[in-house]
Amino acid sequence: MERRRQRILSVARTTLARDGFEALTLRSLAQQAGVTVPTIYNLVGSKDDLLRELIAGLVERCERALEEVEDHGPIDMARHVVGTLAALFAEDEDFCRAALVAGQRLERSSGANAPPGIWQRSSQIAMRICLDASRSGLLRGDLDPRRIGERAFDGYRIAVIDWLNGAIDAEGFERNALSGFYLCLAADAVPRFRRALVSRLAELERPRRARANRRGST
Amino acid sequence: MERRRQRILSVARTTLARDGFEALTLRSLAQQAGVTVPTIYNLVGSKDDLLRELIAGLVERCERALEEVEDHGPIDMARHVVGTLAALFAEDEDFCRAALVAGQRLERSSGANAPPGIWQRSSQIAMRICLDASRSGLLRGDLDPRRIGERAFDGYRIAVIDWLNGAIDAEGFERNALSGFYLCLAADAVPRFRRALVSRLAELERPRRARANRRGST
DNA sequence: GATAAAATTTTAACTACGATAAATTTCAAT
DNA sequence: ATTGAAATTTATCGTAGTTAAAATTTTATC
């Protein structure tokens, strides 16, 4: 039955969010979902398959959230992307954390079998932002824009990792990811563009509280 | 007997290096070391204790390698630190990888029980480099040097993570870590300092082959 | 509507892991 | 040689993921 399958996945999501990655065991999952363990194997697959499914759900939500990215120039575009992701993370923090932890675990255990794309899309966007900035004459050209894009994306990536490990909260994620990104751009920015970046960076230093009105958060 | 203890640790190191983290099981370790499982518990402790011991060895080697850091100005200092670590990693790549993976695993399972310091020392050095650069008038002062230090260190850290996950090799680690670091400094560098950084960054783009004579590599 | 076939679910069991209590051995000091 | 403490092993526990085979439910056919 498809309903059973959905129920299993739903219970798995809840457990993962409430009790973390270690607590998600097939036996307890089966019990909570009102089925037996082999049924999980039949309807969902192995534990790795189960994790892949959960992660795929998160990835899809990320992709959907990032679909509506419009061109507003590098600064606002980066801010919008990071802000969108931060909002999405904050909305269901426990689950996103656990799912990303599971993703990390999968990457190591099953090599490249993991879904292609928690990073894929955001990586492309980051690179596009830098290349566009270069084409628009916002960069001086002393440095390879592709390298800038790579390092800028690194700043975003390490922020995700720190957030996922609990080292920083969602607000810290937004601040670190953006400041890393802006910093890399500023390294080769034309004076006017650099001034705009510096101004944004200074703004990031101020503690924010007007963040709440961005999203109702139900 | 102390000899047994050392033998256990030695076999553990070898296994970790040759077959990876997943292959390091107490049973096989006991068998290869010619003892039984409870003896490991008696001489070394739990599996977490064993991993902590192995990681501590790596950390100590890193600390020792970083002790002889002299002040040469930010650029050379960063290059020296990253180069030293890269050489150390390359020297015993498999073991360092596995040990760092184990370290990640420990961080998550036992919270803050992990040894305080794979990152600690290098983090301090990175921050010092940036603060010194600021004091020496190499930075314009538009940005908080501490933020620059944090992001610069992030660039180093993500490079370690990428290397540890097999995404890049030791050479790639050196390139990414350094370019991330230099890029962050360049964001707020005084013209002369920025020119020096840009020159170094351009140098990093060229594929290197004269790297072999830095260390005999036995 | 009964029955055969197909699909689904469960019972029961396997292997491997980390961990530990209790029994055994080892070995030094009296 | 005896005794007592320390080290080592035997044997076992509990839990994890996984799977073969039996039991059940569903579906299709006559």
Side-chain angles (χ1 to χ4, degrees):
Chain A
M1 204 79 102
E2 180 63 20
R3 282 238 315 270
R4 287 224 223 216
R5 184 183 141 89
Q6 287 310 321
R7 173 158 173 74
I8 291 171
L9 291 178
S10 164
V11 171
R13 258 186 295 267
T14 305
T15 303
L16 202 56
R18 201 186 46 217
D19 306 323
F21 177 78
E22 280 79 27
L24 184 63
T25 152
L26 293 184
R27 280 172 169 78
S28 84
L29 172 59
Q31 190 181 354
Q32 287 184 265
V35 297
T36 58
V37 174
T39 296
I40 299 178
Y41 274 82
N42 184 30
L43 296 182
V44 179
S46 73
K47 183 166 188 181
D48 279 8
D49 292 330
L50 169 64
L51 293 178
R52 262 187 283 272
E53 198 93 9
L54 296 180
I55 296 163
L58 176 61
V59 170
E60 197 192 354
R61 273 166 60 188
C62 290
E63 302 256 337
R64 196 176 312 278
L66 289 184
E67 253 173 17
E68 32 181 301
V69 175
E70 299 169 19
D71 281 285
H72 283 115
I75 292 184
D76 287 333
M77 194 158 167
R79 187 164 63 92
H80 180 249
V81 169
V82 172
T84 301
L85 266 300
L88 194 146
F89 287 168
E91 187 184 312
D92 196 355
E93 192 154 20
D94 295 327
F95 171 69
C96 291
R97 270 215 174 94
L100 288 177
V101 168
Q104 275 194 157
R105 205 67 71 116
L106 265 188
E107 272 178 27
R108 220 183 302 292
S109 76
S110 63
N113 277 14
I118 307 184
W119 306 114
Q120 193 178 6
R121 178 142 189 88
S122 41
S123 160
Q124 290 171 350
I125 296 178
M127 186 60 78
R128 209 180 78 200
I129 291 177
C130 292
L131 294 181
D132 283 355
S134 174
R135 268 193 227 95
S136 314
L138 297 176
L139 298 184
R140 304 166 65 163
D142 292 334
L143 304 171
D144 183 352
R146 297 195 63 84
R147 291 290 175 212
I148 297 179
E150 286 177 13
R151 292 316 129 236
F153 181 62
D154 280 353
Y156 161 80
R157 208 151 43 97
I158 195 82
V160 172
I161 290 175
D162 281 347
W163 169 80
L164 153 185
N165 286 332
I168 55 178
D169 58 10
E171 194 178 308
F173 159 71
E174 202 166 350
R175 176 166 39 79
N176 287 4
L178 264 187
S179 63
F181 205 99
Y182 288 161
L183 220 57
C184 288
L185 284 174
D188 199 37
V190 135
R192 189 175 56 86
F193 184 40
R194 183 175 176 280
R195 270 193 299 275
L197 287 167
V198 165
S199 153
R200 289 290 184 180
L201 281 165
E203 213 170 287
L204 284 177
E205 291 298 322
R206 280 191 279 282
R208 43 211 45 172
R209 54 178 69 93
R211 181 74 60 198
N213 61 0
R214 167 173 296 182
R215 191 166 282 230
S217 180
T218 358
Chain B
M1 203 77 103
E2 180 62 23
R3 283 238 314 272
R4 287 221 223 215
R5 184 184 141 89
Q6 287 309 321
R7 175 158 173 72
I8 290 172
L9 291 177
S10 163
V11 171
R13 259 186 294 268
T14 306
T15 303
L16 203 55
R18 201 186 45 217
D19 305 322
F21 178 78
E22 278 79 30
L24 183 62
T25 151
L26 292 183
R27 281 172 168 77
S28 84
L29 173 58
Q31 190 181 357
Q32 288 184 266
V35 296
T36 58
V37 174
T39 295
I40 298 178
Y41 274 83
N42 185 29
L43 296 183
V44 179
S46 73
K47 185 167 187 182
D48 279 7
D49 292 330
L50 169 64
L51 293 178
R52 263 187 282 270
E53 197 94 9
L54 296 179
I55 296 164
L58 176 60
V59 170
E60 197 192 356
R61 273 166 61 188
C62 290
E63 303 256 337
R64 196 179 311 279
L66 289 184
E67 253 173 17
E68 33 180 301
V69 174
E70 299 169 21
D71 281 284
H72 282 114
I75 292 184
D76 286 333
M77 195 157 166
R79 187 164 63 92
H80 181 249
V81 169
V82 171
T84 301
L85 266 300
L88 194 146
F89 287 168
E91 188 183 311
D92 196 355
E93 193 154 20
D94 294 328
F95 170 70
C96 291
R97 272 214 173 95
L100 288 178
V101 168
Q104 278 195 154
R105 205 66 70 118
L106 265 189
E107 273 178 28
R108 220 182 302 290
S109 76
S110 62
N113 277 14
I118 307 183
W119 305 112
Q120 192 178 7
R121 178 143 190 87
S122 42
S123 160
Q124 290 171 350
I125 296 178
M127 186 59 78
R128 209 180 78 200
I129 291 177
C130 290
L131 294 181
D132 283 354
S134 175
R135 267 193 228 96
S136 314
L138 296 175
L139 298 184
R140 305 167 66 164
D142 292 334
L143 304 172
D144 182 353
R146 296 195 64 84
R147 290 292 175 210
I148 297 179
E150 286 177 12
R151 293 314 129 238
F153 180 61
D154 280 353
Y156 161 81
R157 210 150 42 97
I158 194 81
V160 172
I161 290 175
D162 280 348
W163 170 80
L164 153 187
N165 286 333
I168 55 179
D169 58 9
E171 193 177 310
F173 159 71
E174 203 166 349
R175 176 167 37 78
N176 288 5
L178 264 187
S179 63
F181 204 99
Y182 288 162
L183 220 56
C184 288
L185 283 174
D188 198 37
V190 135
R192 190 175 56 87
F193 184 38
R194 184 174 176 280
R195 271 194 298 275
L197 286 167
V198 166
S199 152
R200 289 288 184 181
L201 282 165
E203 213 169 284
L204 284 176
E205 290 298 323
R206 280 192 279 283
R208 43 212 44 173
R209 54 177 69 92
R211 179 76 56 198
N213 60 1
R214 164 173 299 183
R215 193 166 278 233
S217 179
T218 0

